[in-house]
Amino acid sequence: MEKGNSIYQGKAKELYLTDQPEVLWVEYLDQATALNGVKKDKVVGKGQMNNQITSKIFEILADQGIESHFIEKISNTEQLIKAVGIVPLEVVVRNFAAGSFSKRLNVEEGVKLPFPIVEFYYKDDALDDPFINDMHVKVLDIASDEEVKEIKELALKVNEELKKLFASVNIKLIDFKIEVGRDAQGNILLADEISPDTCRLWDMDTNDHLDKDIYRRDLGDLIPVYEEVLNRLNTL
Ligand code: C5P
């Protein structure tokens, strides 16, 4: 497989073409951002942590019957993925109150929700990723009703598997964000990454943060925390 030109540089990943049109090459970068890029730092070692964690999680999800764009990890910082057209939605699932949910609705962080909820945010940096509902998704022609139903079902299924997976390494899954894409046949496929950048993970015994809130809230050094998550996942 040959690495081609860079086609997209995101906040924490860079995407390259390959000699196969249906395959892309991803490099996870040593970059941390928060507040839609307003806070930004180089964090040496973060790229390889997130690549390894995401690869491991996508492999486990595939074993449980949840396909994603992930093909294979090709180095500590790189993977091959299926090319998909990303649906411009950040799909958030919440099991416990935290972050923007707590702020917006004045619910204390850590309060268990009676059932998991799915939220949509419109992926648009210029608009600061606004919170939207199913009707906005339809009106903006982001996805059809059928796709919205499918995306919600997928998000909740991923939640059930991730909850089990993290519980087995003594981690509580507070909330997370996924992205989905459409493959060449128009099928909805789980995409992007699943890592401590995109999940809130609390230690089950201590409620210590094992995720990007360490960086967002200036709680300390991010690398040992991400390493802890990777080490725990590697015991599986
Ligand atoms: O900030 P908020 O509480 O809405 O975040 C919910 C979840 O979505 C958190 O796990 C956070 O890490 C993730 N998220 C993300 N990328 C964003 C916004 C939120 O991965 N741009």
Side-chain angles (χ1 to χ4, degrees), residues 6 26 31 53 78 80 82 105 110 131 146 153-155 173 179 194 222-223:
S6 169
V26 192
Q31 206 146 276
I53 293 169
E78 296 161 300
L80 296 179
K82 289 179 198 157
L105 302 171
F131 185 32
E146 216 168 81
E153 282 170 6
L154 174 64
L173 177 63
E179 294 183 25
I194 299 180
L222 188 137
I223 292 300

Side-chain angles (χ1 to χ4, degrees), residues 12-212:
K13 295 189 286 291
E14 185 155 9
L15 271 184
Y16 298 85
L17 295 171
T18 68
D19 47 0
Q20 291 181 25
E22 69 281 10
V23 178
L24 297 178
W25 186 301
V26 192
E27 183 181 356
Y28 280 68
L29 307 173
D30 281 347
Q31 206 146 276
T33 64
L35 307 167
N36 194 14
V38 172
K39 182 172 153 84
K40 186 172 167 180
D41 287 284
K42 184 178 165 82
V43 180
V44 175
K46 177 172 171 285
Q48 61 148 323
M49 293 295 154
N50 275 353
N51 182 46
Q52 292 178 75
I53 293 169
T54 292
S55 298
K56 180 92 188 174
I57 290 175
F58 279 149
E59 279 165 11
I60 294 172
L61 289 178
D63 287 344
Q64 302 306 320
I66 302 176
E67 286 303 322
S68 72
H69 71 165
F70 177 76
I71 301 174
E72 62 171 327
K73 175 161 77 74
I74 50 172
S75 80
N76 269 353
T77 55
E78 296 161 300
Q79 8 174 302
L80 296 179
I81 58 167
K82 289 179 198 157
V84 294
I86 290 287
V87 176
L89 286 177
E90 304 211 324
V91 183
V92 169
V93 180
R94 301 183 190 269
N95 297 305
F96 295 83
S100 68
F101 180 96
S102 290
K103 212 177 239 177
R104 191 182 325 114
L105 302 171
N106 194 24
V107 180
E108 198 186 334
E109 288 204 315
V111 171
K112 192 175 191 318
L113 305 182
F115 52 87
I117 61 165
V118 182
E119 297 175 347
F120 292 131
Y121 295 83
Y122 182 30
K123 213 171 127 61
D124 185 319
D125 281 344
L127 297 176
D128 222 358
D129 301 339
F131 185 32
I132 57 174
N133 68 24
D134 300 22
M135 286 187 267
H136 295 106
V137 173
K138 198 174 176 192
V139 147
L140 296 175
D141 207 19
I142 297 169
S144 67
D145 282 342
E146 216 168 81
E147 284 177 325
V148 166
K149 187 167 172 277
E150 196 182 331
I151 292 168
K152 281 186 179 171
E153 282 170 6
L154 174 64
L156 291 172
K157 207 164 135 201
V158 169
N159 183 45
E160 289 314 307
E161 292 307 327
L162 288 184
K163 270 199 293 193
K164 271 191 273 175
L165 164 65
F166 284 118
S168 71
V169 293
N170 213 39
I171 289 174
K172 200 152 71 175
L173 177 63
I174 302 298
D175 56 32
F176 64 95
K177 183 258 317 185
I178 56 168
E179 294 183 25
V180 298
R182 296 185 186 90
D183 68 11
Q185 288 72 44
N187 300 312
I188 294 289
L189 205 57
L190 177 60
D192 194 50
E193 69 178 275
I194 299 180
S195 73
D197 268 14
T198 63
C199 303
R200 279 198 178 89
L201 306 170
W202 291 9
D203 181 89
M204 266 193 189
D205 299 326
T206 63
N207 280 343
D208 282 349
H209 296 277
L210 301 173
D211 57 59
K212 200 164 91 170

